[in-house]
Amino acid sequence: MKNLPAPAVVDFGRLRVACSSCSLRELCLPAGLEAREMEKIDRLVNQRRRVRKGEHLYRAGAPLAALYAIRSGFMKSCVLYEDGREQVAGFHMMGDLLGMDAIGGGRHMSDTVALEDCEVCEIPFPVLQRLSREVPSLQHQLHRVMSREIVRDYGVMLLLGSMKAEERLAAFLLNLSQRFSARGYSPTEFNLRMTRQEIGSYLGLKLETVSRSFSAFQEQKLIKVRQRHVCILDLAGLRAMLGPPR
Amino acid sequence: MKNLPAPAVVDFGRLRVACSSCSLRELCLPAGLEAREMEKIDRLVNQRRRVRKGEHLYRAGAPLAALYAIRSGFMKSCVLYEDGREQVAGFHMMGDLLGMDAIGGGRHMSDTVALEDCEVCEIPFPVLQRLSREVPSLQHQLHRVMSREIVRDYGVMLLLGSMKAEERLAAFLLNLSQRFSARGYSPTEFNLRMTRQEIGSYLGLKLETVSRSFSAFQEQKLIKVRQRHVCILDLAGLRAMLGPPR
DNA sequence: CGCGTCCCTTGATATAGGTCAAATTGAGGA
DNA sequence: TCCTCAATTTGACCTATATCAAGGGACGCG
């Protein structure tokens, strides 16, 4: 939550940002827009913001000011009880759009925290509303993104409601793999940005169980893990963990 | 929950339907619109549709044609695996808007089935898109509804990820109570429309566990259950089940 | 370079909830 | 009215995962 320490060279806040020249435009909110429409969209993002590891992008209860698109870095969102229990509701990476939980009530309903230094594009919500009226395909795109979030949540329910520990972890790894792949990174080798505890919270398991499942997969030669570094050795085998075992 | 006194003869498909005169307008999509705007909205719903108990409103894979608002009756949505496992993702009652999972990919991602005879308003999606461009507060309302669905899903994740059996059931009953209450029904006495199995699927439990938890609550004088009929005797006590026990 | 802290792994044990089985109840149909 | 079938309840037992506990890296800081 601190300000920039010493605007090293570039002041991101002032930097002119344009979706039309962003390398993530095919993954992010403007995906699928035509060049003509993209121009109008460039007014959408008024500034970038840095979020340092451990800092909050927003907290539950904070009024909705903007939605955020991740430019770089990794984040988690959590929902909390009154009594302090915390449940990780999702992990987010570049191209993901955050903050949609706040549209309904005008206040954020989750905490979103950077798991490593991040850079996000700030999209003032009123601007987004106005522009999406003017640019029908932006409107449609926004609806698509929200809808996909709903579908993603259904997937998590399925996972939490009917899968057992190792299935959950396999699904988690495959999901990460697929998302890294879609962003041009290796689908089989990556670094986890979250702790075993955070993975466990997301999967509805204790950290020990997560750790044991990792070890079991390694035993079966499905993956190779060392701390946060994961290598998927047998993608098909990992997929097979999901279906058959009733 | 009953129909109007005399509709025995009316063909619902042909019936002129108007949100502005609907008794659910404050709960449903048009909530909060002004009279002036409400008029435009009346074009939104082109017909009503009956769905008999056990029939599908839509199936996973079906192309998105319309969103649906429940006029009366009770439904469930399920997501399925390849291998046939099924997870109930939600229960829906009058005023709820269904089908938003299909906006992202153009196809429904869940099965929605009537748990009793239902009546729904069909809202052709293209019409909704066009009107929400013309009527900003409808646009906003649509965003609100989608956002609230996301928040609801977060709540289910919390439930599935970090609560134990009796807490889950308590949360489930309190949620129903609150929704019935918001619709003008008794918050403390109602009939469940779903089986123990369906409750179990939704809560990530087996039907036997659901049954035992019901019995335990009854033992503690928190509720009275007889089959599908539930009486909540101690609302505060039920709420207390959620917080304290670590 | 050494220390402290956090994270991860692994083992031993406990338990919540799953599984299997049987009896009871209730609703709808013949 | 009786019959059948599905839903529910309850008991006994078992298993997956939680819990408790101990030890071993890795990393940042002094």
Side-chain angles (χ1 to χ4, degrees):
Chain A
M1 268 326 167
K2 298 186 177 68
N3 297 325
L4 303 173
V9 183
V10 181
D11 177 349
F12 280 98
R14 295 278 123 63
L15 192 61
R16 178 92 186 93
V17 188
C19 291
S20 56
S21 60
C22 175
S23 62
L24 292 174
R25 66 180 178 278
E26 290 308 324
L27 269 171
C28 192
L29 193 55
L33 299 207
E34 292 171 19
R36 195 172 44 79
E37 299 163 326
M38 197 79 82
E39 283 174 34
K40 295 191 181 179
I41 296 311
D42 281 342
R43 284 173 288 161
L44 203 57
V45 175
N46 70 339
Q47 67 168 338
R48 296 237 184 105
R49 182 172 144 195
R50 267 183 181 293
V51 187
R52 287 242 162 45
K53 179 174 175 171
E55 286 179 357
H56 280 71
L57 176 61
Y58 52 77
R59 288 169 194 274
L64 167 65
L67 300 186
Y68 304 91
I70 303 188
R71 273 285 301 171
S72 67
F74 221 88
M75 302 194 143
K76 67 168 177 181
S77 310
C78 321
V79 276
L80 308 97
Y81 277 96
E82 315 77 62
D83 67 351
R85 260 180 294 188
E86 158 180 320
Q87 165 81 22
V88 174
F91 296 108
H92 314 288
M93 54 203 289
M94 51 201 239
D96 289 347
L97 190 68
L98 303 180
M100 293 173 291
D101 60 339
I103 298 173
R107 297 188 172 275
H108 288 282
M109 301 300 285
S110 61
D111 282 41
T112 295
V113 182
L115 294 173
E116 60 185 351
D117 290 1
C118 288
E119 203 181 303
V120 300
C121 296
E122 206 170 276
I123 304 169
F125 188 60
V127 178
L128 179 58
Q129 278 188 303
R130 184 166 38 72
L131 276 180
S132 75
R133 231 170 287 135
E134 293 172 16
V135 184
S137 54
L138 177 65
Q139 180 199 42
H140 192 223
Q141 194 55 29
L142 175 62
H143 292 165
R144 288 164 63 97
V145 172
M146 293 187 76
S147 171
R148 264 190 259 122
E149 172 76 6
I150 293 171
V151 172
R152 183 191 74 84
D153 294 348
Y154 283 179
V156 178
M157 288 186 215
L158 189 58
L159 183 147
L160 291 172
S162 28
M163 290 171 44
K164 43 182 58 165
E166 294 192 2
E167 294 179 279
R168 295 184 196 190
L169 187 62
F172 171 72
L173 290 172
L174 289 169
N175 175 264
L176 278 185
S177 164
Q178 180 260 308
R179 288 161 75 196
F180 279 122
S181 174
R183 283 158 181 79
Y185 297 103
S186 168
T188 53
E189 188 166 1
F190 44 82
N191 279 294
L192 301 172
R193 270 75 173 201
M194 67 296 278
T195 67
R196 301 289 189 259
Q197 172 137 237
E198 287 161 336
I199 298 173
S201 171
Y202 179 65
L203 298 178
L205 302 169
K206 294 294 161 185
L207 69 152
E208 294 94 332
T209 306
V210 173
S211 180
R212 281 185 237 274
S213 300
F214 268 125
S215 300
F217 285 172
Q218 188 157 239
E219 203 63 35
Q220 299 169 251
K221 302 265 186 284
L222 293 171
I223 65 172
K224 203 157 75 71
V225 231
R226 243 189 91 70
Q227 301 289 126
R228 308 253 175 127
H229 188 81
V230 175
C231 231
I232 299 181
L233 303 174
D234 181 359
L235 212 47
L238 213 50
R239 282 202 200 93
M241 302 250 15
L242 264 51
R246 189 253 103 104
Chain B
M1 215 55 95
K2 298 189 174 61
N3 297 326
L4 302 173
V9 195
V10 180
D11 176 351
F12 280 98
R14 296 276 124 63
L15 191 62
R16 177 93 186 91
V17 187
C19 290
S20 56
S21 60
C22 174
S23 62
L24 292 174
R25 64 179 178 280
E26 290 307 324
L27 270 171
C28 192
L29 193 56
L33 300 206
E34 291 172 18
R36 193 173 44 79
E37 299 162 326
M38 197 79 81
E39 283 174 34
K40 295 191 182 180
I41 296 312
D42 281 342
R43 285 173 287 161
L44 203 55
V45 175
N46 68 341
Q47 68 168 339
R48 296 236 185 106
R49 180 172 146 195
R50 268 181 181 294
V51 186
R52 289 244 162 46
K53 178 173 176 172
E55 285 178 358
H56 280 72
L57 176 60
Y58 51 77
R59 289 170 192 272
L64 167 64
L67 299 186
Y68 305 90
I70 303 188
R71 273 285 300 170
S72 67
F74 221 88
M75 303 195 143
K76 67 169 177 180
S77 310
C78 321
V79 275
L80 307 97
Y81 277 97
E82 315 79 60
D83 66 352
R85 262 181 293 190
E86 157 180 322
Q87 165 81 23
V88 173
F91 295 109
H92 314 289
M93 55 202 287
M94 53 199 236
D96 289 346
L97 190 67
L98 303 180
M100 294 173 290
D101 60 338
I103 298 174
R107 297 187 172 276
H108 288 283
M109 301 300 286
S110 61
D111 282 41
T112 296
V113 182
L115 294 174
E116 60 185 352
D117 290 0
C118 290
E119 203 181 302
V120 300
C121 296
E122 206 170 277
I123 304 170
F125 188 59
V127 177
L128 179 58
Q129 277 188 304
R130 185 165 39 72
L131 276 181
S132 75
R133 230 170 288 136
E134 293 171 17
V135 184
S137 53
L138 176 64
Q139 180 198 41
H140 192 222
Q141 194 54 31
L142 175 61
H143 292 163
R144 287 164 64 96
V145 172
M146 294 187 76
S147 170
R148 264 191 260 120
E149 172 77 5
I150 293 171
V151 172
R152 183 190 74 83
D153 294 348
Y154 282 180
V156 177
M157 287 185 216
L158 190 57
L159 183 147
L160 291 173
S162 26
M163 290 171 47
K164 45 182 58 166
E166 294 193 2
E167 293 179 281
R168 295 183 195 190
L169 187 63
F172 171 73
L173 289 172
L174 288 169
N175 174 264
L176 279 185
S177 163
Q178 180 261 308
R179 289 160 75 195
F180 279 122
S181 175
R183 284 158 181 77
Y185 297 103
S186 168
T188 52
E189 188 166 0
F190 43 83
N191 280 296
L192 301 172
R193 272 72 173 202
M194 67 297 279
T195 67
R196 301 288 189 260
Q197 172 137 238
E198 287 161 336
I199 298 173
S201 170
Y202 179 65
L203 298 178
L205 302 169
K206 294 294 160 182
L207 70 156
E208 292 95 332
T209 306
V210 173
S211 180
R212 281 186 236 275
S213 299
F214 268 125
S215 301
F217 285 172
Q218 188 157 239
E219 203 63 34
Q220 298 169 251
K221 301 262 184 288
L222 293 171
I223 64 172
K224 203 157 74 70
V225 232
R226 244 188 93 72
Q227 301 289 126
R228 308 256 176 124
H229 187 83
V230 175
C231 230
I232 299 181
L233 303 174
D234 182 359
L235 212 47
L238 213 50
R239 283 203 199 92
M241 301 249 18
L242 265 50
R246 193 258 102 94

